[in-house]
Amino acid sequence: MAQPFSIHIDKAVLADLRQRIAATRWPDQIEGANWDYGTNEPYLKELCTYWASAFDWTKQETYLNSFQHFKTTIDESGLHFIHHQGQGKTSIPILLIHGYPDSFVRFLTIIPLLTQADEQGFSFDVVVPSIPGYGFSDRPTEPGMNPKKIASLFADLMDELGYPKFVAHGGDWGSSITENLGLYHADSLLGIHLTDVPSQHALMPVDDPTAAEKKYLQQRQEWMQTEGGYFQIQSTKPQTLAYGLMDSPVGLAGWIVEKFKSWSDNDGEVEDAFTKDELLTNITLYWVTQTIHSAIRIYYEARQDLQQSQHNPLMKLNPFDKTGDKSTVPAAFALFPKDISSPPSEFAERFFTISRWTKLARGGHFTAMEEPELLANDIREFVRSLRQSGRTTITL
Protein backbone atom coordinates (compact mmCIF):
# COMPACT_ATOMS: atom_id res chain seq x y z
CA MET A 1 0.00 0.00 0.00
CA ALA A 2 1.26 3.46 -0.89
CA GLN A 3 2.69 5.56 1.92
CA PRO A 4 3.42 9.30 1.92
CA PHE A 5 7.06 10.09 1.26
CA SER A 6 9.11 13.20 1.96
CA ILE A 7 12.48 14.07 0.46
CA HIS A 8 15.22 14.86 2.95
CA ILE A 9 18.92 14.80 2.10
CA ASP A 10 21.38 14.80 5.00
CA LYS A 11 23.59 17.87 5.21
CA ALA A 12 26.66 15.65 5.38
CA VAL A 13 25.89 14.35 1.88
CA LEU A 14 25.73 17.90 0.56
CA ALA A 15 28.94 18.88 2.37
CA ASP A 16 30.72 15.90 0.82
CA LEU A 17 29.40 16.96 -2.59
CA ARG A 18 30.89 20.43 -2.23
CA GLN A 19 34.24 19.00 -1.09
CA ARG A 20 34.39 16.67 -4.06
CA ILE A 21 33.70 19.52 -6.47
CA ALA A 22 36.48 21.57 -4.88
CA ALA A 23 38.92 18.66 -5.22
CA THR A 24 38.22 18.09 -8.92
CA ARG A 25 41.20 17.46 -11.19
CA TRP A 26 40.14 19.29 -14.34
CA PRO A 27 41.22 18.31 -17.88
CA ASP A 28 42.46 20.83 -20.41
CA GLN A 29 40.49 21.82 -23.48
CA ILE A 30 41.64 22.75 -26.95
CA GLU A 31 41.30 26.49 -27.46
CA GLY A 32 38.14 27.43 -29.30
CA ALA A 33 36.71 23.89 -29.12
CA ASN A 34 33.46 25.10 -27.53
CA TRP A 35 31.26 21.95 -27.28
CA ASP A 36 32.78 20.15 -30.28
CA TYR A 37 34.68 17.57 -28.22
CA GLY A 38 31.94 17.19 -25.63
CA THR A 39 30.95 19.22 -22.58
CA ASN A 40 32.53 22.67 -22.70
CA GLU A 41 35.04 23.07 -19.85
CA PRO A 42 34.50 26.79 -19.12
CA TYR A 43 30.74 26.29 -18.89
CA LEU A 44 31.06 23.19 -16.71
CA LYS A 45 33.41 25.05 -14.35
CA GLU A 46 30.89 27.88 -14.14
CA LEU A 47 28.04 25.45 -13.45
CA CYS A 48 29.96 23.49 -10.83
CA THR A 49 31.22 26.62 -9.10
CA TYR A 50 27.59 27.67 -8.76
CA TRP A 51 26.70 24.14 -7.60
CA ALA A 52 29.26 24.25 -4.81
CA SER A 53 28.81 27.85 -3.67
CA ALA A 54 25.39 29.22 -4.60
CA PHE A 55 23.00 26.40 -5.45
CA ASP A 56 20.39 26.17 -2.69
CA TRP A 57 19.37 22.53 -2.36
CA THR A 58 17.21 23.32 0.67
CA LYS A 59 15.11 25.65 -1.48
CA GLN A 60 14.81 23.02 -4.19
CA GLU A 61 13.99 20.31 -1.67
CA THR A 62 11.17 22.47 -0.31
CA TYR A 63 9.86 22.93 -3.85
CA LEU A 64 10.04 19.20 -4.56
CA ASN A 65 8.20 18.45 -1.32
CA SER A 66 5.40 20.81 -2.32
CA PHE A 67 4.24 17.93 -4.52
CA GLN A 68 2.54 14.86 -3.08
CA HIS A 69 5.11 12.06 -3.00
CA PHE A 70 4.49 8.41 -2.18
CA LYS A 71 6.28 5.08 -2.13
CA THR A 72 4.83 1.63 -2.58
CA THR A 73 6.03 -1.87 -3.35
CA ILE A 74 4.92 -3.60 -6.55
CA ASP A 75 6.18 -7.14 -7.22
CA GLU A 76 8.96 -6.64 -4.66
CA SER A 77 10.10 -3.41 -6.36
CA GLY A 78 9.92 -0.20 -4.36
CA LEU A 79 8.44 2.57 -6.48
CA HIS A 80 8.46 6.29 -5.81
CA PHE A 81 5.78 8.40 -7.44
CA ILE A 82 3.99 11.74 -7.34
CA HIS A 83 0.18 11.63 -7.31
CA HIS A 84 -1.99 14.71 -7.72
CA GLN A 85 -5.73 14.53 -8.27
CA GLY A 86 -7.41 16.86 -10.73
CA GLN A 87 -9.50 19.82 -9.67
CA GLY A 88 -12.18 19.44 -12.33
CA LYS A 89 -15.61 17.84 -12.18
CA THR A 90 -14.25 15.24 -14.59
CA SER A 91 -10.71 13.92 -14.25
CA ILE A 92 -8.96 11.37 -16.43
CA PRO A 93 -6.06 9.44 -14.86
CA ILE A 94 -2.80 9.94 -16.71
CA LEU A 95 0.57 8.29 -16.16
CA LEU A 96 3.57 10.47 -17.09
CA ILE A 97 6.81 8.53 -17.64
CA HIS A 98 10.20 10.24 -17.79
CA GLY A 99 13.37 9.16 -19.55
CA TYR A 100 17.14 9.64 -19.39
CA PRO A 101 19.05 11.70 -18.32
CA ASP A 102 16.16 13.41 -16.60
CA SER A 103 13.94 12.19 -13.75
CA PHE A 104 10.52 12.84 -12.30
CA VAL A 105 11.46 16.54 -12.26
CA ARG A 106 10.81 16.53 -16.01
CA PHE A 107 7.08 16.84 -15.24
CA LEU A 108 6.92 19.21 -12.28
CA THR A 109 5.90 22.24 -14.32
CA ILE A 110 3.27 20.37 -16.29
CA ILE A 111 1.54 18.79 -13.28
CA PRO A 112 -0.45 21.91 -12.30
CA LEU A 113 -1.30 22.55 -15.95
CA LEU A 114 -2.95 19.13 -16.18
CA THR A 115 -4.58 19.02 -12.75
CA GLN A 116 -6.28 22.39 -13.14
CA ALA A 117 -9.76 22.35 -14.65
CA ASP A 118 -10.39 23.89 -18.04
CA GLU A 119 -13.49 25.86 -19.00
CA GLN A 120 -15.40 22.60 -19.37
CA GLY A 121 -14.45 21.36 -15.90
CA PHE A 122 -12.04 18.75 -17.31
CA SER A 123 -8.74 17.87 -15.65
CA PHE A 124 -6.36 14.97 -15.05
CA ASP A 125 -5.40 12.85 -12.08
CA VAL A 126 -1.62 12.84 -12.57
CA VAL A 127 0.72 10.02 -11.56
CA VAL A 128 4.47 10.52 -12.10
CA PRO A 129 6.58 7.50 -11.11
CA SER A 130 10.34 7.29 -10.96
CA ILE A 131 11.56 4.52 -13.25
CA PRO A 132 13.13 1.68 -11.19
CA GLY A 133 16.76 2.59 -10.66
CA TYR A 134 16.03 6.33 -10.90
CA GLY A 135 15.49 8.86 -8.14
CA PHE A 136 13.79 7.46 -5.06
CA SER A 137 12.59 4.21 -6.63
CA ASP A 138 14.56 1.13 -5.60
CA ARG A 139 17.66 0.16 -7.53
CA PRO A 140 17.12 -3.22 -9.25
CA THR A 141 19.26 -5.97 -7.74
CA GLU A 142 18.66 -8.56 -10.47
CA PRO A 143 18.90 -8.47 -14.27
CA GLY A 144 15.84 -8.00 -16.42
CA MET A 145 14.44 -4.60 -15.40
CA ASN A 146 13.67 -3.68 -19.02
CA PRO A 147 10.83 -1.55 -20.45
CA LYS A 148 8.48 -4.56 -20.61
CA LYS A 149 8.98 -5.30 -16.92
CA ILE A 150 8.67 -1.63 -15.98
CA ALA A 151 5.43 -1.32 -17.97
CA SER A 152 4.00 -4.22 -15.97
CA LEU A 153 5.00 -2.58 -12.69
CA PHE A 154 3.42 0.72 -13.73
CA ALA A 155 0.20 -0.97 -14.86
CA ASP A 156 -0.04 -2.61 -11.45
CA LEU A 157 0.71 0.72 -9.77
CA MET A 158 -2.19 2.39 -11.56
CA ASP A 159 -4.46 -0.49 -10.62
CA GLU A 160 -3.40 -0.18 -6.98
CA LEU A 161 -4.28 3.51 -7.11
CA GLY A 162 -7.77 2.65 -8.33
CA TYR A 163 -7.25 3.45 -12.01
CA PRO A 164 -8.14 0.35 -14.07
CA LYS A 165 -8.24 2.59 -17.19
CA PHE A 166 -5.84 5.42 -17.86
CA VAL A 167 -3.89 7.43 -20.43
CA ALA A 168 -0.10 7.04 -20.59
CA HIS A 169 2.41 9.59 -21.84
CA GLY A 170 6.15 9.31 -22.27
CA GLY A 171 9.28 10.44 -24.03
CA ASP A 172 12.70 8.83 -24.34
CA TRP A 173 12.55 5.65 -22.19
CA GLY A 174 9.10 6.85 -21.24
CA SER A 175 7.96 6.30 -24.82
CA SER A 176 9.33 2.75 -24.84
CA ILE A 177 7.66 1.93 -21.53
CA THR A 178 4.44 3.52 -22.77
CA GLU A 179 4.59 1.46 -25.96
CA ASN A 180 4.92 -1.70 -23.88
CA LEU A 181 1.93 -0.67 -21.82
CA GLY A 182 0.00 -0.46 -25.08
CA LEU A 183 1.27 -3.85 -26.25
CA TYR A 184 0.94 -5.88 -23.07
CA HIS A 185 -1.70 -4.00 -21.08
CA ALA A 186 -4.01 -2.69 -23.79
CA ASP A 187 -7.13 -3.36 -21.73
CA SER A 188 -5.94 -0.79 -19.19
CA LEU A 189 -5.20 1.95 -21.72
CA LEU A 190 -7.57 4.63 -22.97
CA GLY A 191 -4.79 5.95 -25.18
CA ILE A 192 -1.06 6.62 -25.35
CA HIS A 193 0.64 9.93 -26.03
CA LEU A 194 4.30 10.01 -27.14
CA THR A 195 6.91 12.55 -28.12
CA ASP A 196 9.04 10.10 -30.13
CA VAL A 197 9.09 6.67 -31.71
CA PRO A 198 11.08 4.37 -29.40
CA SER A 199 14.65 4.17 -30.64
CA GLN A 200 14.71 0.37 -30.84
CA HIS A 201 12.56 0.48 -33.98
CA ALA A 202 15.33 2.21 -35.92
CA LEU A 203 17.61 -0.70 -34.96
CA MET A 204 15.29 -3.36 -36.37
CA PRO A 205 14.89 -4.42 -40.02
CA VAL A 206 12.23 -2.51 -41.97
CA ASP A 207 10.43 -4.17 -44.89
CA ASP A 208 9.98 -2.10 -48.06
CA PRO A 209 10.78 1.30 -46.54
CA THR A 210 9.45 4.40 -48.25
CA ALA A 211 11.79 7.15 -49.41
CA ALA A 212 11.01 9.15 -46.27
CA GLU A 213 11.70 6.12 -44.09
CA LYS A 214 15.02 5.45 -45.84
CA LYS A 215 16.05 9.04 -45.22
CA TYR A 216 15.00 8.82 -41.58
CA LEU A 217 16.84 5.53 -40.97
CA GLN A 218 19.96 6.94 -42.63
CA GLN A 219 19.74 10.01 -40.38
CA ARG A 220 19.44 7.76 -37.33
CA GLN A 221 22.53 5.82 -38.39
CA GLU A 222 24.48 9.04 -38.85
CA TRP A 223 23.24 10.33 -35.50
CA MET A 224 24.37 7.14 -33.77
CA GLN A 225 27.82 7.56 -35.32
CA THR A 226 28.24 11.16 -34.17
CA GLU A 227 26.04 11.44 -31.06
CA GLY A 228 25.39 7.89 -29.92
CA GLY A 229 28.58 7.11 -28.01
CA TYR A 230 26.75 7.36 -24.68
CA PHE A 231 24.15 4.90 -26.00
CA GLN A 232 26.75 2.34 -27.03
CA ILE A 233 28.63 2.29 -23.74
CA GLN A 234 25.51 2.42 -21.57
CA SER A 235 23.98 -0.49 -23.47
CA THR A 236 27.12 -2.65 -23.44
CA LYS A 237 29.41 -1.76 -20.49
CA PRO A 238 27.41 0.42 -18.07
CA GLN A 239 29.29 -0.82 -15.01
CA THR A 240 32.63 0.38 -16.39
CA LEU A 241 31.23 3.86 -16.89
CA ALA A 242 29.55 3.90 -13.49
CA TYR A 243 32.75 4.04 -11.43
CA GLY A 244 33.71 7.48 -12.65
CA LEU A 245 30.19 8.92 -12.63
CA MET A 246 29.46 7.63 -9.13
CA ASP A 247 32.69 9.05 -7.70
CA SER A 248 32.91 12.47 -9.36
CA PRO A 249 30.08 15.02 -9.23
CA VAL A 250 31.82 17.04 -11.94
CA GLY A 251 32.04 13.93 -14.09
CA LEU A 252 28.35 13.27 -13.49
CA ALA A 253 27.42 16.87 -14.32
CA GLY A 254 29.54 16.81 -17.48
CA TRP A 255 27.94 13.56 -18.62
CA ILE A 256 24.39 14.82 -18.11
CA VAL A 257 24.50 18.51 -19.00
CA GLU A 258 25.91 17.84 -22.47
CA LYS A 259 22.66 16.01 -23.33
CA PHE A 260 20.52 18.85 -22.04
CA LYS A 261 22.49 21.22 -24.25
CA SER A 262 22.54 19.00 -27.36
CA TRP A 263 18.98 17.75 -27.19
CA SER A 264 17.06 20.92 -26.30
CA ASP A 265 15.76 23.83 -28.33
CA ASN A 266 18.29 26.57 -27.59
CA ASP A 267 20.30 29.21 -29.41
CA GLY A 268 23.66 27.62 -28.68
CA GLU A 269 23.59 28.01 -24.91
CA VAL A 270 22.07 25.40 -22.61
CA GLU A 271 20.71 28.15 -20.37
CA ASP A 272 18.58 29.41 -23.23
CA ALA A 273 16.41 26.41 -22.36
CA PHE A 274 17.08 25.70 -18.67
CA THR A 275 18.21 27.61 -15.62
CA LYS A 276 21.17 26.48 -13.57
CA ASP A 277 18.79 25.56 -10.78
CA GLU A 278 16.74 23.34 -13.11
CA LEU A 279 19.84 21.58 -14.40
CA LEU A 280 21.37 21.12 -10.97
CA THR A 281 18.20 19.93 -9.26
CA ASN A 282 18.06 17.04 -11.72
CA ILE A 283 21.81 16.33 -11.47
CA THR A 284 21.77 16.55 -7.67
CA LEU A 285 18.99 13.98 -7.52
CA TYR A 286 21.23 11.53 -9.38
CA TRP A 287 24.09 12.31 -6.99
CA VAL A 288 22.32 12.16 -3.64
CA THR A 289 20.34 9.01 -4.52
CA GLN A 290 23.45 7.34 -6.00
CA THR A 291 21.46 6.13 -9.00
CA ILE A 292 23.42 7.02 -12.12
CA HIS A 293 24.69 3.43 -12.40
CA SER A 294 21.25 1.88 -11.91
CA ALA A 295 19.72 4.46 -14.26
CA ILE A 296 22.01 3.73 -17.18
CA ARG A 297 21.57 -0.03 -16.78
CA ILE A 298 18.17 0.24 -18.48
CA TYR A 299 20.11 0.62 -21.75
CA TYR A 300 21.81 -2.73 -21.17
CA GLU A 301 18.60 -4.46 -20.10
CA ALA A 302 16.68 -3.15 -23.11
CA ARG A 303 19.45 -4.21 -25.49
CA GLN A 304 19.54 -7.70 -24.02
CA ASP A 305 15.77 -8.00 -24.36
CA LEU A 306 15.84 -6.81 -27.97
CA GLN A 307 18.64 -9.20 -28.90
CA GLN A 308 16.76 -12.09 -27.33
CA SER A 309 13.61 -11.18 -29.23
CA GLN A 310 15.49 -10.87 -32.52
CA HIS A 311 17.99 -13.71 -32.34
CA ASN A 312 16.83 -16.32 -29.82
CA PRO A 313 14.81 -18.97 -31.72
CA LEU A 314 12.79 -19.77 -28.60
CA MET A 315 11.82 -16.11 -28.17
CA LYS A 316 10.81 -15.87 -31.83
CA LEU A 317 8.37 -18.73 -31.24
CA ASN A 318 7.07 -17.25 -27.99
CA PRO A 319 3.45 -16.20 -28.61
CA PHE A 320 3.62 -13.86 -25.62
CA ASP A 321 6.51 -11.79 -26.98
CA LYS A 322 5.19 -8.74 -28.84
CA THR A 323 8.45 -7.05 -29.77
CA GLY A 324 7.92 -5.21 -33.04
CA ASP A 325 4.15 -5.80 -33.03
CA LYS A 326 1.71 -3.00 -33.72
CA SER A 327 -0.15 -1.59 -30.75
CA THR A 328 -3.92 -1.29 -31.23
CA VAL A 329 -4.31 1.40 -28.56
CA PRO A 330 -5.07 4.87 -30.01
CA ALA A 331 -1.80 6.78 -30.13
CA ALA A 332 -0.96 10.46 -30.40
CA PHE A 333 2.44 11.89 -31.29
CA ALA A 334 3.56 15.39 -30.39
CA LEU A 335 6.79 16.02 -32.30
CA PHE A 336 9.08 18.87 -31.31
CA PRO A 337 11.50 20.30 -33.91
CA LYS A 338 14.75 20.07 -31.89
CA ASP A 339 14.19 16.57 -30.59
CA ILE A 340 16.86 13.99 -31.46
CA SER A 341 14.81 12.30 -34.19
CA SER A 342 12.08 13.25 -36.66
CA PRO A 343 10.37 10.09 -37.90
CA PRO A 344 7.91 10.20 -40.79
CA SER A 345 4.36 9.24 -39.89
CA GLU A 346 4.44 6.09 -42.02
CA PHE A 347 7.31 4.75 -39.91
CA ALA A 348 5.36 5.31 -36.70
CA GLU A 349 2.28 3.73 -38.28
CA ARG A 350 4.15 0.44 -38.55
CA PHE A 351 4.05 0.15 -34.76
CA PHE A 352 1.21 2.36 -33.57
CA THR A 353 -2.45 3.01 -34.31
CA ILE A 354 -2.13 6.75 -34.83
CA SER A 355 -5.11 8.98 -34.18
CA ARG A 356 -3.22 12.28 -33.80
CA TRP A 357 0.05 13.47 -35.36
CA THR A 358 1.13 16.98 -34.35
CA LYS A 359 4.27 18.90 -35.21
CA LEU A 360 4.90 21.68 -32.72
CA ALA A 361 6.62 24.95 -33.51
CA ARG A 362 9.33 24.83 -30.85
CA GLY A 363 10.82 22.58 -28.23
CA GLY A 364 13.29 19.73 -27.94
CA HIS A 365 13.76 16.39 -26.22
CA PHE A 366 12.78 17.54 -22.72
CA THR A 367 9.42 18.85 -23.83
CA ALA A 368 7.63 18.88 -20.49
CA MET A 369 10.39 21.12 -19.10
CA GLU A 370 10.94 23.23 -22.21
CA GLU A 371 7.39 23.76 -23.46
CA PRO A 372 4.97 22.54 -20.78
CA GLU A 373 2.02 24.56 -22.09
CA LEU A 374 2.34 23.20 -25.63
CA LEU A 375 2.63 19.64 -24.36
CA ALA A 376 -0.25 19.97 -21.89
CA ASN A 377 -2.52 21.41 -24.57
CA ASP A 378 -1.68 18.60 -26.99
CA ILE A 379 -2.41 15.96 -24.34
CA ARG A 380 -5.77 17.61 -23.58
CA GLU A 381 -6.73 17.73 -27.26
CA PHE A 382 -5.82 14.08 -27.68
CA VAL A 383 -7.96 12.98 -24.74
CA ARG A 384 -10.87 15.07 -26.04
CA SER A 385 -10.50 13.25 -29.36
CA LEU A 386 -10.77 9.92 -27.53
CA ARG A 387 -14.15 11.02 -26.23
CA GLN A 388 -15.28 12.00 -29.71
CA SER A 389 -14.14 8.67 -31.14
CA GLY A 390 -16.02 6.74 -28.48
CA ARG A 391 -12.88 5.27 -26.89
CA THR A 392 -14.07 6.54 -23.51
CA THR A 393 -17.59 7.23 -22.35
CA ILE A 394 -16.39 9.83 -19.84
CA THR A 395 -18.08 13.13 -20.66
CA LEU A 396 -15.57 15.90 -21.32
Side-chain angles (χ1 to χ4, degrees):
M1 181 177 293
Q3 298 294 325
F5 174 79
S6 181
I7 300 170
H8 175 71
I9 305 304
D10 193 279
K11 291 183 179 179
V13 174
L14 302 174
D16 175 71
L17 167 62
R18 289 189 288 269
Q19 290 172 1
R20 287 171 181 264
I21 295 172
T24 298
R25 185 168 63 176
W26 290 88
D28 65 342
Q29 177 169 309
I30 291 177
E31 186 176 352
N34 199 11
W35 293 77
D36 295 345
Y37 288 74
T39 302
N40 176 262
E41 185 195 33
Y43 177 75
L44 188 60
K45 282 186 174 179
E46 176 188 327
L47 181 68
C48 290
T49 298
Y50 180 85
W51 197 7
S53 62
F55 177 67
D56 188 345
W57 171 255
T58 301
K59 178 181 177 181
Q60 298 305 317
E61 190 174 78
T62 299
Y63 170 61
L64 296 178
N65 281 326
S66 69
F67 295 87
Q68 297 168 17
H69 296 258
F70 299 87
K71 289 200 74 173
T72 192
T73 300
I74 304 290
D75 193 19
E76 300 183 347
S77 294
L79 295 179
H80 159 262
F81 63 97
I82 292 173
H83 183 201
H84 275 249
Q85 295 184 332
Q87 302 168 4
K89 295 180 180 179
T90 300
S91 276
I92 302 287
I94 186 167
L95 179 70
L96 306 179
I97 310 174
H98 69 82
Y100 171 88
D102 52 282
S103 58
F104 69 88
V105 301
R106 169 190 281 235
F107 295 115
L108 297 184
T109 306
I110 202 174
I111 290 173
L113 298 178
L114 293 175
T115 56
Q116 70 184 12
D118 65 10
E119 63 279 0
Q120 297 174 305
F122 165 49
S123 62
F124 290 91
D125 288 356
V126 178
V127 179
V128 182
S130 292
I131 294 173
Y134 286 71
F136 299 101
S137 285
D138 286 0
R139 298 189 290 266
T141 57
E142 297 179 351
M145 190 59 76
N146 54 52
K148 292 176 186 176
K149 172 65 174 176
I150 297 168
S152 180
L153 294 176
F154 286 175
D156 288 346
L157 170 64
M158 294 300 280
D159 189 61
E160 179 181 292
L161 294 175
Y163 299 130
K165 298 277 189 179
F166 58 94
V167 176
H169 160 84
D172 196 88
W173 283 114
S175 65
S176 184
I177 296 166
T178 298
E179 178 184 23
N180 280 283
L181 279 166
L183 286 172
Y184 294 94
H185 305 276
D187 290 344
S188 299
L189 272 294
L190 297 169
I192 56 178
H193 187 278
L194 307 172
T195 57
D196 54 65
V197 175
S199 59
Q200 70 170 31
H201 292 302
L203 303 176
M204 300 168 68
V206 175
D207 294 331
D208 299 321
T210 66
E213 287 177 312
K214 289 180 180 178
K215 180 179 179 181
Y216 166 69
L217 293 171
Q218 179 63 34
Q219 288 172 341
R220 290 301 295 164
Q221 289 182 9
E222 293 172 357
W223 187 90
M224 287 297 292
Q225 289 295 319
T226 58
E227 298 289 339
Y230 82 99
F231 187 100
Q232 295 298 334
I233 192 169
Q234 290 180 182
S235 61
T236 57
K237 304 294 181 184
Q239 191 71 23
T240 303
L241 176 64
Y243 297 109
L245 300 184
M246 282 288 292
D247 190 58
S248 169
V250 171
L252 176 67
W255 192 251
I256 289 178
V257 76
E258 187 264 324
K259 303 310 176 194
F260 276 81
K261 193 267 183 184
S262 298
W263 297 353
S264 62
D265 189 355
N266 61 70
D267 293 324
E269 301 292 339
V270 64
E271 291 183 30
D272 292 336
F274 313 99
T275 66
K276 283 187 174 69
D277 283 349
E278 288 175 321
L279 294 168
L280 290 172
T281 297
N282 181 65
I283 295 169
T284 303
L285 279 172
Y286 277 93
W287 181 260
V288 298
T289 58
Q290 300 182 46
T291 51
I292 186 60
H293 65 303
S294 54
I296 62 178
R297 278 203 300 261
I298 192 174
Y299 286 81
Y300 182 90
E301 302 293 1
R303 185 184 185 119
Q304 294 299 307
D305 182 58
L306 181 60
Q307 288 180 333
Q308 285 289 312
S309 298
Q310 286 185 296
H311 304 300
N312 186 330
L314 294 178
M315 287 294 289
K316 289 183 178 181
L317 296 174
N318 181 0
F320 300 104
D321 182 61
K322 299 183 179 181
T323 302
D325 288 359
K326 182 171 182 174
S327 169
T328 59
V329 176
F333 283 81
L335 304 176
F336 292 77
K338 295 302 177 69
D339 206 342
I340 60 179
S341 68
S342 299
S345 60
E346 60 262 39
F347 183 75
E349 285 169 351
R350 291 176 180 267
F351 314 105
F352 298 93
T353 302
I354 300 176
S355 64
R356 181 179 174 86
W357 184 266
T358 309
K359 292 189 175 182
L360 284 303
R362 58 187 184 277
H365 191 66
F366 307 99
T367 54
M369 296 177 70
E370 297 177 64
E371 299 292 343
E373 293 86 0
L374 290 180
L375 183 59
N377 289 339
D378 198 78
I379 290 172
R380 282 185 181 271
E381 290 302 319
F382 170 55
V383 176
R384 288 193 183 99
S385 73
L386 295 178
R387 168 68 174 86
Q388 294 169 359
S389 67
R391 177 72 181 185
T392 172
T393 58
I394 298 175
T395 301
L396 304 182

